[in-house]
Amino acid sequence: MLASFRGRGLRALRVLPPCTRGALHWRHGGVPSGVGISNVGTRGPHDLLTELSSIFAKEGVTCLSSLSATWFAKADQNVSKGLDPEEFRETMASVGLKLSDSESETLFTHFDTDKSGIITYGEFAKGLQGEMPSFSASLAFMHQHTGHYPSNHQQIKAARPRFDESETDEWLESLDAVVATLGPTRARFLLHDLMEEAARLGVHIPQPVITPMVNTIPTSGEPAYPGDRAMEERLSNIIRWNAAVMVSDGNRRGGGVGGHIGTFASICDVIEVGMNHFFRGKDFGNGRGDSVWMQGHAAPGAYSRAFVEGRISIDQLMNFRRESAGKGVSSYPHPRLMPTFWENPTVSMGLGPLGAVYQARFFRYLHLRGLADTSKSRVWAFVGDGEMDEPESITAISVAGRERLNNMIFIVNCNYQRLDGPVRGNSKVLQEYEGTFRGAGFDVIKLIWGGKFNELIENDYDGKLIEALEATPDGDCQRLHAKADGALIRKDIFEKHGLLDRVAHWSDDELLEAFQTPGGHDHKKIYAAFSQAEKNSDMGGRPSVILVKTLKGYSLQTFLGRNTVHQKKTMSDSDMQKYRDAMGIPLTDEQLKAADAQNFFALKEDSPEVKYLKDRRHDLGGFLPKREPAKVSALVELPSHETAYSMFDEGSKGREISTTMCFAQVLRKMMQAGEFGQRVTLMVTDESRTFGIDAFFPIFKIHAPFGQNYTPVDADQVMKYAEAPNGQILQEGISEGGAIMTWIASATSYSSQHAPTLPFLIYYSMFGFQRVGDSIWQAADARARGFLIGATYGRTTLNGEGLQHQDGHSLLIALTCPAVKGYDPAFGYEMALIIENGVKEMWGEDKDVIYYVTAYNENMAMPEKPEGADEGIVKGLYKFSDAKPAEHKVRLIGSGAIMKQAMDAIDILAEYGVGVELWSATSYGELQRDAVASQRDGRLGAEAKPSWVEQCLSEDVVTVAVSDNMTAYPMLIAPYVTGEYIVLGADGFGRSDTREALRRFFEVDKEHVAVAALYGLAKQGKISVEVANQAREKFGISADRKDICMEIIS
């Protein structure tokens, strides 16, 4: 076979020498030696730049453009960010390029491309750079739709076992003969046939990642359509019509509510075939039905179908995207806003496919651990072809393939358009995605051509039509669909490639009709693709994808294929009339004029269409989408305080321990608490030993669906790395983006499968909200219940990392999400009680809340819990100790690891006759929320009681709050604190040093706490300012602080 390619490889590309730069003393004000030019005549720009290159080559510089920034900065003497003619000539002379007046003018003009009389840095750099070389990868780019990438590897013949030399040569000669006689097209299709036959015979050869651009299921292999196809197509048109009217009329009535028409118009037929024949409802059995992740922009279609089903009223449709009054429907799939309808939030691009994959994975986890029968639950993810550009989408594909998730089915809506224009205007996106999915381990089902056009494909006896279509870029296909001109299609595809005879039997109108009905709008072919995907799921060992060709704005000719279709939210009277006719909707022109309820086509409840639709959903287990959460409080008995949460009530008895290790001990007790413990799911992102979780491995085991088929290196140790199919721990690897999706799947399993699991995700705190914040909002939308543990927290406590890794801001970010309660415990008993209260809220009271709890890695002796502290710990603030009798009194508020600094400041202040009332703030965020709510009640005339902050901190004394957070976090309660309120916090970039040095740098050590308290007393006139000044001098505290991260580098 390789013999046929001999001598046909690409000509070797000329490799340019790398740009290198020697040490040039002229950069420091000198002049390169030996660079005088004696022969000065009239030379052009090319000659002059060549001379300049030779000058610098002697100094070891082979790439002029690498010098541009340094050279320009030195040459621009007047700091005007531009070179005038005199500066330019002096610059050239300074490096030895002597120019005559005319040459100087010529070269200056070469650089001054905008003729402004000033050479900017951009012009200077571009002039030195010269013409850009061709980018070699572009050669392969032009061939990517076929999967035939030019490669020098074509000239390499691998040394494989040849067995019978003569037989091998005969095979290769046969291929040579096919190419020579019938051409490469015939050879290509012949090899695809051989590969498929080899697979059927059990010869395990990886299949080519890109196959010819034909439907995977041939017409001869399509199963009989089991339903009333005419009825279903009529229902599709009615649902498509009502969805478009809902968006259009909503905007015609004013308010600019937005919405999308084109997306659902493209995917409607695919969804409807799924709804009528494949998507299993909650009552199907062997699981709680299928999990369907709909394209967010197609949400109007779900409302339109639910209207026909009688689940959504006309009043709700009329209030699309008008939710404030409580009777509208949400813009996109939002369970938080429509808790009995939507189940899976998707519209944040990329998060839908990623969430779907981890949902499928978690369904299998539940099954293997015996927590739920999910054997008949599949996950269907609708994804736009433009959405596939998101990194999360590509990650999702990789994970699904690696995990062999045969319960995962992707449907990629290939309408060739994203929000602004074509997805891949210069190539073939559907072919590209075939390679992406197949390479990741998917079974790929291509659904490209509708029945009529597919007749041409299946009669393409020499493959020329298929190759012509493969060679037509998506941008041209989009144009032809938008122009809707049969003669133009005939010219640009068939005449261009010498194939006019293939469509000679069709009129232009017939050709147009066939071309404008791709596979994604042919119910019979959609059914065949779904049927194969379902078989793959039931019997195969890998995920499936249906790559379906559709038209964005289908049947709306003024929308279809236009680059503006995504933004088109309103139909004109003419649009509506034409769309009505195309959809066969029996409404008059007069009815369409007003944007009111009569524009919707309502079916009677006893109509044949409604009866048919309801019967199909009844047979499949009920309506979708639908969310039916379990009442967890009635299902699972919670462990008592003594069973799981009391181990730190009496402190650590002198043993120093971090709050991270306190958390690990609490979690271990929880996981050992009977049936409740079996439902606790722990996720780690490859840092178990840092968090003290590695001891869990041999006890609870790491979940591995295919078992542990190797002997771990630590098999002879007590804390060995143990994996098992029923393992409880989910080791997510180095993937916070994946771990949070597993966490969401677990946190919503009480709804998706009526199998409640309580997730704990522990991770380096800086990789939480600042990395996967959008996913946490998705979790809140999905009504997730669980714990996020931000370990190694604190800008000065995680002292060896630096910059953004030293987290002092996540609690502030957490507050932005209404469903998240953020806590910053200092002591073991605080950690335990906060977790206990979270469990009570989530599973004892069925509240859809998320707890974000920080954990520090600094050891300290844990004190015993003060009597009566529980309420304050939960609300966010409690008194840790009273002030000892003294001449003056201040309040200190500490939190997290910096609580120790506040405690140590007590003895310092005692030397100055100041007693300290010490408080612990476990959550400034919850305190602020409570205070805002109290303030609102009072403002609006409701019965209002003082906020918790006001109840606790009503005495007019100096208060100093210190934490390892940004100062903005404790400042949240400033308006509600009586007396002087001083906040110390760790603002600025993190940096590496010892904890002691960092706390001094960020001004949160015990000495700064004491000085701040004295300053407050002085400000109130209770002590002399001199006392505070003397304390500063004593402790070496100065106002000067050099912030190495913010200084200007000159």
Side-chain angles (χ1 to χ4, degrees):
M1 185 182 298
L2 288 175
S4 65
F5 298 110
R6 290 170 189 155
R8 297 179 188 171
L10 282 179
R11 182 182 301 169
L13 294 172
R14 187 171 69 90
V15 179
L16 297 175
C19 295
T20 58
R21 178 163 54 194
L24 291 181
H25 57 270
W26 68 266
R27 296 177 60 188
H28 307 285
V31 178
S33 61
V35 295
I37 299 178
S38 57
N39 182 23
V40 178
T42 303
R43 295 161 291 175
H46 180 269
D47 296 327
L48 292 169
L49 288 174
T50 301
E51 288 279 1
L52 195 60
S53 295
S54 67
I55 291 170
F56 285 116
K58 295 176 182 178
E59 295 292 329
V61 179
T62 58
C63 184
L64 288 182
S65 61
S66 67
L67 297 174
S68 56
T70 302
W71 193 3
F72 187 87
K74 291 193 70 67
D76 185 19
Q77 301 297 325
N78 60 11
V79 200
S80 63
K81 298 185 175 62
L83 300 178
D84 60 27
E86 184 178 351
E87 288 175 320
F88 178 74
R89 188 168 184 176
E90 290 175 358
T91 298
M92 295 299 147
S94 72
V95 296
L97 182 61
K98 299 176 183 179
L99 303 173
S100 66
D101 291 345
S102 61
E103 288 173 339
S104 179
E105 183 179 351
T106 298
L107 192 56
F108 184 92
T109 302
H110 167 76
F111 281 97
D112 182 23
T113 55
D114 65 359
K115 311 305 178 188
S116 65
I118 294 292
I119 298 174
T120 65
Y121 170 64
E123 291 174 323
F124 192 74
K126 190 170 183 179
L128 289 177
Q129 171 184 287
E131 186 178 350
M132 287 288 284
S134 297
F135 185 55
S136 60
S138 63
L139 300 172
F141 176 78
M142 297 308 296
H143 296 267
Q144 67 169 300
H145 66 278
T146 64
H148 302 150
Y149 299 90
S151 169
N152 286 328
H153 277 68
Q154 291 175 345
Q155 301 182 26
I156 300 172
K157 182 172 174 59
R160 301 187 184 94
R162 291 174 62 86
F163 303 100
D164 186 323
E165 291 277 346
S166 60
E167 182 185 36
T168 301
D169 288 338
E170 287 175 8
W171 277 92
L172 295 176
E173 288 167 5
S174 296
L175 182 59
D176 286 340
V178 170
V179 173
T181 307
L182 302 175
T185 299
R186 174 60 184 133
R188 174 189 171 199
F189 285 90
L190 176 62
L191 289 172
H192 278 293
D193 287 340
L194 286 172
M195 292 288 284
E196 290 176 3
E197 183 64 20
R200 281 190 286 272
L201 294 173
V203 180
H204 301 297
I205 302 175
Q207 296 294 301
V209 294
I210 299 178
T211 60
M213 198 170 171
V214 301
N215 289 346
T216 301
I217 313 297
T219 302
S220 59
E222 292 173 2
Y225 200 82
D228 184 334
R229 185 173 170 185
M231 174 72 78
E232 291 181 22
E233 290 177 354
R234 174 164 167 71
L235 279 165
S236 287
N237 288 342
I238 292 170
I239 290 168
R240 188 186 275 113
W241 166 263
N242 284 338
V245 167
M246 177 175 59
V247 176
S248 179
D249 281 7
N251 286 278
R252 289 169 72 193
R253 287 191 293 272
V257 295
H260 305 277
I261 294 173
T263 299
F264 181 69
S266 71
I267 201 65
C268 171
D269 295 301
V270 179
I271 291 175
E272 283 304 298
V273 171
M275 286 291 188
N276 287 322
H277 300 284
F278 294 97
F279 301 156
R280 295 167 180 170
K282 299 296 183 185
D283 299 324
F284 187 82
N286 297 100
R288 295 280 298 162
D290 290 344
S291 181
V292 180
W293 297 64
M294 184 176 289
Q295 272 184 275
H297 294 127
Y303 299 138
S304 181
R305 172 171 250 270
F307 171 63
V308 175
E309 294 167 339
R311 296 198 293 146
I312 282 182
S313 68
I314 188 72
D315 195 34
Q316 287 177 286
L317 291 191
M318 294 282 288
N319 282 281
F320 172 62
R321 292 195 172 201
R322 299 174 189 266
E323 300 175 84
S324 297
K327 59 182 179 181
V329 292
S330 63
S331 54
Y332 301 122
H334 292 308
R336 180 64 65 169
L337 301 175
M338 298 180 68
T340 62
F341 190 81
W342 292 115
E343 190 166 37
N344 303 308
T346 57
V347 81
S348 198
M349 296 288 98
L351 298 190
L354 190 62
V357 166
Y358 281 89
Q359 178 81 289
R361 178 172 173 256
F362 197 76
F363 279 2
R364 185 176 65 186
Y365 171 89
L366 290 172
H367 193 90
L368 292 175
R369 290 203 56 229
L371 297 175
D373 178 1
T374 62
S375 59
K376 296 296 182 183
S377 288
R378 292 85 54 94
V379 178
W380 305 79
F382 285 85
V383 188
D385 49 357
E387 187 176 4
M388 287 301 300
D389 283 342
E390 292 284 0
E392 292 89 346
S393 299
I394 299 302
T395 298
I397 297 169
S398 172
V399 172
R402 180 188 72 217
E403 294 280 337
R404 288 177 260 171
L405 296 174
N406 62 305
N407 60 343
M408 178 75 244
I409 302 168
F410 270 76
I411 301 165
V412 182
N413 181 8
C414 296
N415 56 39
Y416 294 178
Q417 291 182 253
R418 51 187 172 206
L419 278 60
D420 288 338
V423 179
R424 299 286 187 273
N426 289 309
S427 58
K428 307 296 290 185
V429 71
L430 197 146
Q431 296 291 85
E432 174 191 330
Y433 290 162
E434 178 188 17
T436 303
F437 277 94
R438 197 184 299 280
F442 275 67
D443 281 324
V444 178
I445 301 166
K446 292 197 290 190
L447 174 54
I448 309 170
W449 313 112
K452 192 69 176 171
F453 201 88
N454 199 52
E455 293 175 8
L456 300 178
I457 301 297
E458 294 190 350
N459 286 309
D460 184 21
Y461 56 88
D462 58 1
K464 297 297 186 183
L465 175 57
I466 294 171
E467 291 201 333
L469 292 165
E470 290 176 338
T472 305
D474 285 353
D476 280 334
C477 289
Q478 177 191 345
R479 171 177 56 84
L480 293 173
H481 285 303
K483 296 296 183 183
D485 183 342
L488 184 62
I489 296 168
R490 189 184 302 272
K491 175 178 178 292
D492 280 11
I493 294 179
F494 295 90
E495 182 180 342
K496 179 179 179 180
H497 295 93
L499 300 172
L500 281 174
D501 61 305
R502 308 296 174 94
V503 286
H505 61 298
W506 281 354
S507 68
D508 287 346
D509 287 343
E510 289 173 322
L511 175 57
L512 177 63
E513 181 183 2
F515 189 71
Q516 296 291 73
T517 311
H521 301 290
D522 184 322
H523 282 225
K524 189 170 188 295
K525 295 198 175 296
I526 296 168
Y527 180 85
F530 268 108
S531 181
Q532 185 60 49
E534 187 171 67
K535 289 176 183 175
N536 294 348
S537 178
D538 290 342
M539 303 169 61
R542 52 169 63 186
S544 296
V545 61
I546 303 173
L547 300 173
V548 55
K549 172 72 176 81
T550 67
L551 301 181
K552 195 163 189 174
Y554 176 70
S555 292
L556 257 169
Q557 196 52 52
T558 56
F559 284 50
L560 193 153
R562 303 301 197 277
N563 281 340
T564 57
V565 63
H566 190 80
Q567 283 74 32
K568 289 175 78 72
K569 309 170 190 311
T570 306
M571 294 185 288
S572 67
D573 289 346
S574 175
D575 288 335
M576 292 188 73
Q577 290 164 11
K578 292 176 181 176
Y579 200 36
R580 171 205 59 194
D581 295 342
M583 296 294 99
I585 305 299
L587 296 175
T588 67
D589 290 354
E590 193 64 30
Q591 285 176 295
L592 299 181
K593 288 182 178 178
D596 57 27
Q598 67 181 2
N599 282 345
F600 293 98
F601 184 62
L603 293 166
K604 293 182 180 180
E605 189 175 351
D606 61 352
S607 68
E609 293 91 345
V610 172
K611 185 177 185 305
Y612 181 89
L613 183 148
K614 288 185 174 181
D615 285 346
R616 295 307 307 133
R617 288 314 310 161
H618 178 269
D619 291 346
L620 286 165
F623 296 123
L624 287 174
K626 187 177 184 180
R627 183 175 179 274
E628 288 182 339
K631 191 175 179 62
V632 184
S633 59
L635 298 178
V636 183
E637 183 177 350
L638 307 185
S640 66
H641 178 78
E642 291 70 27
T643 300
Y645 311 107
S646 63
M647 70 283 291
F648 295 109
D649 285 356
E650 296 180 5
S652 61
K653 304 186 185 304
R655 181 168 63 97
E656 292 193 343
I657 185 173
S658 68
T659 52
T660 299
M661 296 304 139
C662 290
F663 162 74
Q665 291 189 34
V666 172
L667 182 65
R668 182 167 180 159
K669 285 285 189 181
M670 293 174 69
M671 293 177 74
Q672 292 173 330
E675 183 189 344
F676 170 86
Q678 288 294 311
R679 295 183 176 277
V680 173
T681 52
L682 170 62
M683 295 116 209
V684 291
T685 53
D686 219 32
E687 287 284 356
S688 299
R689 289 174 180 82
T690 302
F691 308 140
I693 303 297
D694 53 327
F696 287 37
F697 293 166
I699 302 171
F700 303 106
K701 294 185 174 56
I702 297 163
H703 178 68
F706 308 110
Q708 189 166 23
N709 301 307
Y710 67 96
T711 302
V713 67
D714 54 4
D716 56 346
Q717 298 177 19
V718 174
M719 291 195 295
K720 62 185 178 183
Y721 196 84
E723 299 178 90
N726 63 347
Q728 192 164 351
I729 301 167
L730 286 149
Q731 165 55 269
E732 297 298 321
I734 306 174
S735 174
E736 287 78 15
I740 192 66
M741 290 302 173
T742 300
W743 184 90
I744 294 172
S746 174
T748 56
S749 65
Y750 74 96
S751 175
S752 65
Q753 288 292 344
H754 280 194
T757 56
L758 188 64
F760 286 83
L761 171 56
I762 184 168
Y763 53 88
Y764 264 65
S765 63
M766 78 294 270
F767 297 134
F769 283 88
Q770 70 187 50
R771 175 169 286 193
V772 294
D774 195 12
S775 299
I776 294 172
W777 274 83
Q778 182 189 28
D781 191 351
R783 295 180 169 263
R785 302 174 185 175
F787 293 85
L788 299 171
I789 308 299
T792 59
Y793 191 75
R795 187 144 293 159
T796 70
T797 306
L798 180 62
N799 56 305
E801 298 292 331
L803 212 74
Q804 83 272 24
H805 288 174
Q806 290 174 211
D807 185 3
H809 49 272
S810 285
L811 282 164
L812 199 59
I813 302 174
L815 182 64
T816 64
C817 185
V820 177
K821 293 188 173 186
Y823 285 94
D824 192 22
F827 305 127
Y829 64 80
E830 292 178 358
M831 173 71 75
L833 186 66
I834 288 166
I835 292 174
E836 180 181 12
N837 190 70
V839 173
K840 185 181 103 174
E841 284 199 271
M842 296 172 205
W843 280 23
E845 300 170 1
D846 292 297
K847 292 182 180 178
D848 301 330
V849 293
I850 298 167
Y851 270 47
Y852 172 65
V853 187
T854 64
Y856 295 79
N857 65 345
E858 183 175 8
N859 293 335
M860 65 178 290
M862 295 293 167
E864 64 179 283
K865 180 168 68 174
E867 188 174 348
D870 287 15
E871 182 181 14
I873 292 172
V874 171
K875 289 186 173 180
L877 181 68
Y878 70 97
K879 186 191 292 185
F880 180 78
S881 62
D882 287 311
K884 293 180 180 178
E887 184 178 355
H888 305 290
K889 183 175 103 170
V890 297
R891 272 192 301 250
L892 299 184
I893 304 176
S895 57
I898 300 299
M899 183 66 172
K900 183 71 164 55
Q901 303 302 312
M903 295 168 74
D904 290 346
I906 294 175
D907 291 339
I908 296 176
L909 288 168
E911 297 176 11
Y912 293 87
V914 179
V916 173
E917 184 179 274
L918 185 60
W919 292 73
S920 177
T922 56
S923 180
Y924 288 105
E926 291 307 294
L927 292 174
Q928 190 252 9
R929 284 173 173 168
D930 172 63
V932 169
S934 173
Q935 194 175 61
R936 176 188 178 276
D937 287 344
R939 183 176 71 250
L940 299 180
E943 183 179 353
K945 63 178 182 179
S947 67
W948 186 252
V949 176
E950 292 166 319
Q951 293 178 53
C952 294
L953 307 181
S954 60
E955 187 179 355
D956 187 5
V957 297
V958 172
T959 301
V960 178
V962 61
S963 77
D964 222 356
N965 295 284
M966 297 173 63
T967 54
Y969 188 57
M971 284 297 292
L972 290 168
I973 67 169
Y976 317 105
V977 179
T978 303
E980 185 74 19
Y981 184 55
I982 302 168
V983 173
L984 303 180
D987 288 346
F989 289 113
R991 65 209 64 221
S992 298
D993 212 317
T994 64
R995 286 180 181 142
E996 293 75 14
L998 289 176
R999 286 166 183 170
R1000 173 51 59 100
F1001 177 86
F1002 284 107
E1003 300 168 3
V1004 294
D1005 60 6
K1006 61 185 178 181
E1007 292 84 4
H1008 272 94
V1009 174
V1011 167
L1014 294 173
Y1015 165 78
L1017 290 170
K1019 189 174 180 182
Q1020 287 188 336
K1022 294 182 179 179
I1023 64 172
S1024 167
V1025 174
E1026 189 58 32
V1027 174
N1029 292 337
Q1030 289 174 357
R1032 279 200 301 271
E1033 291 179 10
K1034 176 182 178 181
F1035 299 124
I1037 293 174
S1038 169
D1040 296 330
R1041 182 177 78 175
K1042 185 177 182 181
D1043 191 335
I1044 61 172
C1045 295
M1046 295 301 293
E1047 67 181 35
I1048 297 173
I1049 307 299
S1050 58

